[in-house]
Amino acid sequence: VIYGISHSSAAVTDNLAKKISQEALKYNFNNSPVLQVGLVHCAVGSPGASEGEHKPYAPCSLEDLNNPRLNYWALGHIHTRSKLRERPVAVYPGNTQGLHINEQGSKGCVLVELEAGLDPRLKFCPLAGVEWLQLDFELTAQTTVSSIGDELLVNLRELISTLHIQTSS
């Protein structure tokens, strides 16, 4: 059973996670192994607080995700992949492609395998065709344009070797 809520406006201030949790508590499947998932676009944290650059869209708390009948919470809104709870498991998978330089690193989806009586199995699957990365190096009074280029090439070669990318010289 998947519980989710749609919305009709861009700005949602209602606690949608709490509504989903309350809805899931209404149903009794007579101890049969029915898997239940909460699916919600929300900002987990204190109501009214901002998640960095993210607006407090449909704010809720971690406690609102504490429903023993749900096997998994699939969360949306925050573009950084993170696991917020162990039981029930609650995950922001992040986004499938970094949208700008501040969304660095590997992006993709989280494959979730659910089986009655077992903890969910999570596997990150990279999908992004392009990854934003930041290279840092020190500039001094002796730095020349040529040395910046040389340092950049060293950093890029090192990065490429860690990513196992084939290049031609």
Side-chain angles (χ1 to χ4, degrees), residues 141-160:
Q142 290 76 36
T143 302
T144 64
V145 172
S146 177
S147 66
I148 292 172
D150 293 343
E151 182 72 20
L152 184 58
L153 281 174
V154 167
N155 277 280
L156 287 173
R157 285 188 177 120
E158 184 179 307
L159 176 64
I160 288 169

